[in-house]
Amino acid sequence: MNTIIVEKDREVGGFYKYDEYPVNNVRGRDLVSQFATEDNIMCNAAAFSYDKEGVWVASREGSRKINGTVVAANGFREKTVLELGIYGSRPSGVFYLYSAWELVNKGYSIGDKVVIYGFNHYSVSLASKLSKTCEQVVVAYTSCSLIHGLGEIADMGVEVLEGRVTKILGSERVSSVMIDGRELKADTLILAELSPWNQLGVENIVGNAAMILEDPMKIVEASKVVAESLIEGGGPIEVLCSVPHIPHKVSKRVARIILGVGVGVVLRVNGEKIVVDEPYPIVELPSNSRVTIEVL
């Protein structure tokens, strides 16, 4: 099967190009080196329109349509201040996660007293870098990571504060943020609450375009499951599920699904009870036309 990767940057890998913080002894940067090759990669190109036959791509050479099955793997997006319900001033010093990540990895200083709003692998990896250069790093959160513990952050010398960021204070530069009524002095706020992102509405989606996946190896596994389902074809399984999952279209010939839940969650799959023993479990489904997955 001939595969073409459309990459908007100069090289593939996205966040994981610089990700050195391990998950189960695996580093995202190493996986990029392992899987990324120069074959069939269109860099500095962007997909801008999609239909059932293929995708339109713009590059320096102009625009053209690539026919075939399209799979979106474009990553997450950060939630906006409006979505997060943060009000107040709009001074400099407020960054979205990926912007801060790119600047830090290019050697720029983004601040001395930094608040990162969001607790996930991506914010933890950034905090691990900032903790070496900043006077203060605080991770504020309302929900925990599925793969990292609070103790890991404390071991870096990073403060952890449970609560919702509600207000930004400061005229020209951030001076402090309000977290559930508590004022915390800061010169930088990084927005790291994440959502899946499928801006073109592509039918086949994987990775952080489908659900927030904090484990880079699970992104690899999810990609394999989606690829197998597309190659094998066959009748689809209608999955009725209240939690994020990959793939969205499940083939009866590859009746497997990855769920976005953590250790200890109890599931019922078509009446059978399952206790999750790892984050992002791969669940074998009965090859019925319809499968119901419930969280108990």
Side-chain angles (χ1 to χ4, degrees):
M1 176 181 289
N2 184 33
T3 302
I4 298 174
I5 298 173
V6 178
E7 171 58 55
K8 65 179 177 61
D9 291 330
R10 290 178 294 176
E11 54 186 345
V12 297
F15 184 95
Y16 288 112
K17 286 183 298 187
Y18 305 110
D19 181 28
E20 298 173 349
Y21 194 81
V23 179
N24 296 322
N25 296 317
V26 175
R27 289 171 170 81
R29 186 171 185 172
D30 295 336
L31 285 179
V32 172
S33 300
Q34 179 181 346
F35 288 103
T37 66
E38 295 301 319
D39 297 335
N40 297 330
I41 298 177
M42 292 181 60
C43 291
N44 295 309
F48 64 88
S49 182
Y50 154 81
D51 59 32
K52 297 295 183 181
E53 284 72 46
V55 65
W56 281 93
V57 175
S59 67
R60 292 172 181 173
E61 287 72 43
S63 63
R64 70 183 179 100
K65 188 174 186 181
I66 302 174
N67 290 318
T69 301
V70 180
V71 180
N74 49 270
F76 56 72
R77 70 170 180 85
E78 300 91 338
K79 293 182 180 178
T80 66
V81 289
L82 183 62
E83 288 176 283
L84 295 170
I86 301 174
Y87 64 99
S89 305
R90 292 291 181 266
S92 64
V94 180
F95 297 89
Y96 287 109
L97 172 73
Y98 195 76
S99 297
W101 179 253
E102 288 282 282
L103 289 169
V104 168
N105 284 292
K106 289 176 181 176
Y108 294 101
S109 172
I110 61 171
D112 290 319
K113 295 184 177 181
V114 180
V115 175
I116 304 174
Y117 186 29
F119 181 18
N120 49 65
H121 172 71
Y122 307 97
S123 64
V124 171
S125 188
L126 176 58
S128 71
K129 293 175 183 278
L130 291 175
S131 65
K132 300 171 185 176
T133 59
C134 295
E135 178 183 336
Q136 168 191 292
V137 180
V138 177
V139 171
Y141 72 98
T142 56
S143 59
C144 286
S145 165
L146 293 187
I147 61 173
H148 295 300
L150 297 174
E152 288 182 62
I153 301 180
D155 289 342
M156 299 177 197
V158 173
E159 184 182 350
V160 183
L161 185 60
E162 184 175 6
R164 188 172 71 86
V165 175
T166 57
K167 188 175 183 179
I168 302 168
L169 302 172
S171 53
E172 296 183 0
R173 176 83 188 194
V174 173
S175 61
S176 60
V177 297
M178 299 296 296
I179 303 176
D180 284 347
R182 170 184 171 181
E183 184 174 351
L184 184 66
K185 296 295 182 183
D187 57 27
T188 304
L189 173 64
I190 299 172
L191 302 175
E193 289 281 357
L194 310 177
S195 288
W197 192 36
N198 178 19
Q199 74 272 37
L200 295 182
V202 175
E203 189 175 22
N204 299 301
I205 51 178
V206 72
N208 286 309
M211 70 180 184
I212 300 304
L213 274 159
E214 300 181 60
D215 185 338
M217 275 305 300
K218 289 295 183 179
I219 290 181
V220 174
E221 291 181 22
S223 299
K224 289 180 178 178
V225 172
V226 170
E228 289 169 1
S229 292
L230 291 173
I231 292 169
E232 292 295 330
I237 298 174
E238 182 184 2
V239 179
L240 305 177
C241 182
S242 60
V243 298
H245 57 277
I246 298 174
H248 286 185
K249 291 176 63 180
V250 183
S251 165
K252 288 183 180 178
R253 296 177 183 173
V254 187
R256 291 183 294 152
I257 194 168
I258 296 182
L259 299 174
V261 295
V263 175
V265 172
V266 181
L267 304 171
R268 182 184 289 128
V269 181
N270 268 19
E272 180 182 350
K273 189 178 292 187
I274 298 173
V275 180
V276 174
D277 59 4
E278 65 171 347
Y280 304 104
I282 298 179
V283 177
E284 300 285 342
L285 301 180
S287 56
N288 300 359
S289 296
R290 174 181 291 181
V291 174
T292 300
I293 302 175
E294 303 170 278
V295 178
L296 303 180

